[in-house]
Amino acid sequence: MQELDTQITFDYQSERYKDAYSRINAIVIEGEQEAYDNYCQLAESLPDAKDDLLRLAKMENRHMKGFQACGRNLAVTPDMAFAKEFFAQLHGNFQTAWAEGKIVTCLLIQSLIIETFAISAYNIYIPVADDFARKITEGVVKDEYLHLNFGEEWLKANFEAAKAELEDANRENLPIVWAMLNRVADDAKVLGMEKDALVEDFMITYGEALANIGFSSREVMKLSAQGLASV
Ligand code: PL3
Ligand code: FE2
Ligand code: FE2
């Protein structure tokens, strides 16, 4: 987490800031939209958890609208084409897994990886955000912990049956996240967010989630560093 003792001010209206924001804002809007879609699909596959999942989906829809308002507030037009492409690989992997009935993989992608990515990004954004976006993001990040927790609880309850698939899905999908982080690092820096801080926050939150699900500390180390060498 970043230190709050130095109050940093940004020129939120500079062309440089707005240009970077047009991509970061779009990524977040697209991420929230895809999260909505993913929880709706998961609700179809998991009738026992249907009501919970539809509740999560609703929150994602609210998040998306909140971040759209953040862009409008700065008079920024989000670059949605960029954002769609940014998520394409993870999106494709989720869809393939869902079509094959691999719910464990779907939960790893959405509830563990994407939610952790969001939590670390939002936590690091909050101290450097404009006042409007900060209030929105503070509300959103509280919900994201609930979403991560949903995935943890479900996977913990099914740990023995899910373990091998989780390891495979982690191996396939975590390197994609590091690549996504690399792609967004320059723009994030313009907004005052450091890549090292994002990586660190991600590793801590993701590692804690894996430990809560039932992995040993040795397994957590191995899983959460998968593909990290490329960062
Ligand atoms: C699911 O609830 C949310 C999915 C969103 C994923 C967003 C990933 C964000 C990475 C970009 C880093 C900058 C964040 C800035 C916040 C406005
Ligand atoms: Fe969300
Ligand atoms: Fe979420």
Side-chain angles (χ1 to χ4, degrees), residues 32 35 39 60 63 110 115 143-144 147:
E32 298 292 356
Y39 284 121
E60 303 297 20
H63 298 168
Q110 176 57 49
E115 300 295 355
D143 291 342
E144 308 303 9
H147 303 175

Side-chain angles (χ1 to χ4, degrees), residues 15-25 187-188 190-191:
E15 280 314 310
R16 186 161 173 266
Y17 191 93
K18 286 172 67 171
D19 175 58
Y21 206 83
S22 71
R23 285 177 295 278
I24 301 275
N25 184 232
D187 285 332
V190 173
L191 270 51

Side-chain angles (χ1 to χ4, degrees), residues 1 12 63 89 153 169 185 201 221-222:
M1 212 132 306
Y12 298 108
H63 298 168
Q89 248 186 310
E153 292 299 323
D201 209 273
M221 294 281 242
K222 238 186 109 178

Side-chain angles (χ1 to χ4, degrees), residues 112 124 188 217 227 230:
L112 300 189
I124 286 167
S217 356
S230 65

Side-chain angles (χ1 to χ4, degrees), residues 167 170-171 174 178 202-204 206-212 214-229:
E167 287 167 347
N170 181 78
R171 192 180 315 110
L174 200 57
W178 302 132
F202 184 97
M203 296 272 287
I204 291 168
Y206 193 62
E208 281 173 359
L210 294 172
N212 290 341
F215 286 103
S216 71
S217 356
R218 179 183 291 269
E219 289 167 331
V220 167
M221 294 281 242
K222 238 186 109 178
L223 289 168
S224 59
Q226 184 89 52
L228 183 62

